[in-house]
Amino acid sequence: MAQHVDVLDRITVRAGVFGGKPIIRDMRIAVEHVLSMLAAGDSPELILSEHPAPEPEDIQACLLFAYRSVAGESVYERLIVSST
């Protein structure tokens, strides 16, 4: 379980980036975008090859974020929030 918390540390929220939506490690890559690519059938390997900055753990973090959101957990309370 502690490993999941560590993975979620890869997801951040910045008020001025994508309207405050969750992003990967303070980069301009939205969790929503990664999830939409996975839902469209793109493999993690394809996503990583098309976007060189994310790492495999970032994709795992996006999936965990989605799972916990659907499970009704308060995911946003666990995210790093930055005002910049």
Side-chain angles (χ1 to χ4, degrees):
M1 188 73 152
Q3 181 182 8
H4 284 184
V5 173
D6 294 340
V7 172
L8 276 182
D9 286 345
R10 292 175 163 269
I11 307 297
T12 57
V13 174
R14 293 178 62 192
V17 178
F18 297 128
K21 291 182 179 182
I23 56 176
I24 297 172
R25 291 185 292 123
D26 256 350
M27 298 182 289
R28 291 185 174 269
I29 301 172
V31 169
E32 176 181 347
H33 183 67
V34 173
L35 293 172
S36 71
M37 289 187 290
L38 291 167
D42 291 347
S43 68
E45 294 78 18
L46 178 63
I47 295 168
L48 294 172
S49 71
E50 290 182 349
H51 303 277
E55 300 170 349
E57 294 83 3
D58 296 324
I59 293 176
Q60 180 185 5
C62 291
L63 291 170
L64 181 60
F65 177 86
Y67 162 73
R68 290 198 169 172
S69 295
V70 170
E73 295 185 28
S74 298
V75 182
Y76 280 89
E77 294 173 2
R78 298 180 182 167
L79 300 181
I80 299 169
V81 178
S82 173
S83 59
T84 59

